[in-house]
Amino acid sequence: MRDFDETTITEAVVERFGATPDPRLREVIQSLVRHLHGFVRDVEPSFAEWEAAISFLTRTGQKCDDKRQEFILLSDTLGVSMLVDAINHRLPEGATPTTVLGPFYVENAPELPLGAEVAQAMKGERLHVSGQVRSAGGAPLAGALVDIWHSDEDGFYDVQRPAEENASLRARFRTDAEGRFHFWTLLPTAYPVPTDGPVGEMLTATGRHPMRPAHVHFMIAASGHETLVTHVFVAGDEYLDSDAVFGVKQELIAEFTRAPEGHRVLQYDFALKRLG
Ligand code: BEZ
Ligand code: FE
């Protein structure tokens, strides 16, 4: 076949992929072609616009290295990451909602004893965190691994401060016999997603701010259960309704109260989905 025009090109390309041996790859690529062509028909780009789009995607790739993942940030800021998350976490009643992992997770953070101090020479208000890990609709989970990380008073993670050699504001804890955990840290603050790349350009050009509301990240693993990746957000934060990555869920917002001694207190319980 030849002489394709606006009305015949899409089905011709779809058909060209018709012999893809892997049925899932065939489904994905044919759907991609239909949606991509539909998008192009919808916006009717000029050649200059098409070149600008190619340049944007090229620069997005060029911005990536082993520490920076601009394509995931693009996915996050377009709401795609949270859509993929929602599709993959249709949770049972009572299970703690999930949200994005984000780029500041570091594997193998120091495993500390319950009650330990997580902050190493970083600035912020003192915060005590405690909670219990349970199976959704079931018993407490002893020995669950609770991995936590968050930003400091200036909105930076330890990995964004090259001068900081040691892990700070990140650690792992094992829950006790009653599924409980507790530790000391600092109150996180709102911070911007990285804006020194193409995603920052996109946010500026579209009049969007780059801020994420203050939160503590949790990744909780327990045998026989789906690993929970989530955050707990600070109630009252001004960005809760305009998170740059669309990650806020009402159930994940908690009061960080003030103790009579002056420090802040977060008490939050988690429920994990049972596997199988
Ligand atoms: C974060 O919460 O660490 C994060 C998530 C998505 C994009 C940027 C940062
Ligand atoms: Fe974060």
Side-chain angles (χ1 to χ4, degrees):
M1 242 197 113
R2 52 184 74 166
D3 289 332
F4 301 112
D5 63 18
E6 274 186 55
T7 63
T8 58
I9 183 86
T10 303
E11 279 315 305
V13 180
V14 167
E15 200 183 307
R16 190 72 60 88
F17 284 111
T20 303
D22 181 327
R24 176 62 174 160
L25 176 59
R26 184 167 66 241
E27 180 189 2
V28 169
I29 202 151
Q30 289 183 327
S31 176
L32 173 70
V33 169
R34 287 203 173 95
H35 283 87
L36 207 50
H37 285 219
F39 170 66
V40 170
R41 277 197 184 84
D42 188 24
V43 302
E44 299 194 334
S46 65
F47 267 107
E49 287 170 338
W50 175 78
E51 274 172 16
I54 298 287
S55 162
F56 179 83
L57 292 174
T58 303
R59 286 181 291 109
T60 299
Q62 287 166 340
K63 195 76 188 166
C64 296
D65 58 29
D66 58 338
K67 291 209 169 57
R68 178 76 177 260
Q69 232 306 348
E70 193 76 357
F71 268 115
I72 295 183
L73 189 59
L74 182 59
S75 164
D76 293 344
T77 50
L78 292 177
V80 173
S81 305
M82 281 305 290
L83 179 56
V84 172
D85 188 74
I87 288 165
N88 285 278
H89 293 114
R90 295 181 178 128
L91 296 172
E93 188 66 21
T96 304
T98 54
T99 189
V100 284
L101 176 69
F104 303 121
Y105 172 66
V106 175
E107 278 180 19
N108 300 321
E111 194 169 333
L112 301 181
L114 291 174
E117 172 65 70
V118 168
Q120 304 278 333
M122 290 175 91
K123 293 188 291 175
E125 214 178 328
R126 300 263 300 148
L127 170 68
H128 187 257
V129 181
S130 65
Q132 189 181 33
V133 180
R134 307 181 72 90
S135 189
L141 294 170
L145 191 60
V146 179
D147 206 324
I148 69 100
W149 66 105
H150 65 87
S151 63
D152 67 6
E153 189 180 55
D154 298 329
F156 290 112
Y157 285 77
D158 58 355
V159 289
Q160 294 175 291
R161 294 188 185 275
E164 303 271 342
E165 282 175 16
N166 299 321
S168 187
L169 307 185
R170 70 176 70 243
R172 293 179 297 163
F173 298 93
R174 288 268 171 205
T175 56
D176 67 14
E178 292 174 336
R180 297 188 187 282
F181 65 89
H182 56 106
F183 58 91
W184 284 97
T185 187
L186 301 175
L187 186 70
T189 54
Y191 63 86
V193 300
T195 54
D196 59 339
V199 171
E201 282 171 37
M202 182 269 285
L203 294 175
T204 303
T206 54
R208 285 178 54 187
H209 72 70
M211 300 301 290
R212 296 219 64 210
H215 55 272
V216 179
H217 290 258
F218 287 85
M219 183 189 288
I220 304 183
S223 71
H225 292 78
E226 200 170 278
T227 295
L228 171 66
V229 176
T230 196
H231 316 344
V232 177
F233 294 93
V234 181
D237 190 288
E238 67 176 296
Y239 299 109
L240 286 171
D241 289 316
S242 62
D243 180 9
V245 306
F246 306 92
V248 180
K249 292 176 178 171
Q250 184 61 37
E251 240 187 276
L252 298 175
I253 302 172
E255 295 293 338
F256 286 53
T257 55
R258 191 173 295 285
E261 298 85 355
H263 62 267
R264 305 289 288 265
V265 177
L266 168 64
Q267 204 285 321
Y268 195 91
D269 297 338
F270 298 87
L272 272 55
K273 179 185 175 184
R274 205 187 300 270
L275 284 174

